[in-house]
Amino acid sequence: YYFSIQVEIDCKRFYHTCSNSDRKKYVKEAFLFAWTNYHNFAWGHDHLKPESRGYDHSLFGLGATLIDSLTSLHLLGFQEELAVSRAWIEKSFDPKKSYGKISLFEVTIRLIGSLISTYHLTGDKLYLDKAMEIGNISMNCFKDSEIPHIGLSLSEGTCNTDQAKECLYEDCSNSEACKYYYCKAEISEVGTLGLEFRALSAASGQLIY
């Protein structure tokens, strides 16, 4: 709804009638429309708020949408936009600018995953270096347990090692459900971390991950 493109021809209305080349064209149009609005109104922030043209830092405070979009920019052929994103990462991406305790799972899939994938696609070592930087901080969650703790502070380089503590987010500290979700590791959640960390070890040659 928020990023809809004006429907002008039947092919856009009835997607199955499009040729493959038209489908590719419209997918690229839709993506570029969304990315351009993020660039114009929320650059370097986690999320764009389309209706207000504002932004929020509800995840990391590290440009989550920007990092998320790296591989799509490359695969869709938007090299100029990728270069703009790379420049921001090189100059402004700093884990110390993050805030509070955040989910190790989200850090892994959205930061390490996106950065290591972009490294594999481009061969640009900047992305590997940034993934390793996040990976090194994340290793603090594995220090005293085979099942990692999930409350990670990127800015402090620490991990919540007391699973009995109250919820990591103040706005729901009195919610039992919130306490369970953010303060206790779930096997399914932890199990997915292996993909990114093994990829990080393979790319860096460091088996620590």
Side-chain angles (χ1 to χ4, degrees):
Y1 170 77
Y2 294 125
F3 295 119
S4 62
I5 296 175
Q6 181 66 40
V7 175
E8 296 177 351
I9 59 176
D10 286 343
C11 179
K12 287 187 179 181
R13 258 191 216 110
F14 305 105
Y15 191 74
H16 65 278
T17 67
C18 294
S19 66
N20 285 338
S21 60
D22 281 338
R23 290 181 183 184
K24 292 177 182 178
K25 174 185 174 182
Y26 298 136
V27 166
K28 291 179 71 172
E29 278 185 10
F31 179 89
L32 189 59
F33 180 85
W35 187 91
T36 300
N37 279 279
Y38 169 74
H39 180 266
N40 289 343
F41 302 111
W43 189 241
H45 301 286
D46 281 343
H47 301 122
L48 168 66
K49 292 184 173 182
E51 290 185 310
S52 65
R53 296 185 177 183
Y55 54 81
D56 68 37
H57 284 303
S58 60
L59 200 55
F60 311 116
L62 292 175
T65 295
L66 187 153
I67 303 297
D68 276 342
S69 66
L70 292 171
T71 52
S72 293
L73 286 171
H74 177 81
L75 293 171
L76 292 172
F78 295 123
Q79 296 305 314
E80 182 177 339
E81 289 78 7
L82 181 60
V84 172
S85 298
R86 185 196 186 281
W88 184 89
I89 293 170
E90 184 174 34
K91 180 180 179 181
S92 302
F93 183 82
D94 181 2
K96 292 181 179 179
K97 294 180 180 178
S98 183
Y99 57 88
K101 298 281 188 179
I102 53 182
S103 165
L104 172 64
F105 171 74
E106 293 291 345
V107 168
T108 302
I109 65 170
R110 299 191 67 173
L111 294 184
I112 296 177
S114 294
L115 289 166
I116 197 66
S117 297
T118 308
Y119 166 70
H120 282 302
L121 288 170
T122 65
D124 189 332
K125 195 171 181 294
L126 171 71
Y127 301 113
L128 175 59
D129 289 342
K130 294 298 183 181
M132 290 175 64
E133 183 178 5
I134 299 296
N136 290 337
I137 298 173
S138 300
M139 292 307 295
N140 289 307
C141 293
F142 295 83
K143 278 186 174 179
D144 62 353
S145 173
E146 293 182 358
I147 296 180
H149 305 287
I150 64 170
L152 177 63
S153 171
L154 290 173
S155 59
E156 297 176 3
T158 60
C159 197
N160 176 37
T161 57
D162 183 358
Q163 301 291 22
K165 284 184 178 180
E166 290 190 354
C167 183
L168 304 177
Y169 294 110
E170 294 179 359
D171 61 346
C172 54
S173 60
N174 294 320
S175 166
E176 288 300 321
C178 187
K179 287 181 185 180
Y180 177 79
Y181 184 79
Y182 289 112
C183 296
K184 296 181 180 180
E186 297 179 1
I187 294 177
S188 58
E189 180 180 22
V190 172
T192 68
L193 304 181
L195 177 63
E196 290 84 2
F197 278 97
R198 290 184 69 178
L200 191 55
S201 282
S204 65
Q206 298 187 19
L207 298 181
I208 185 175
Y209 304 113

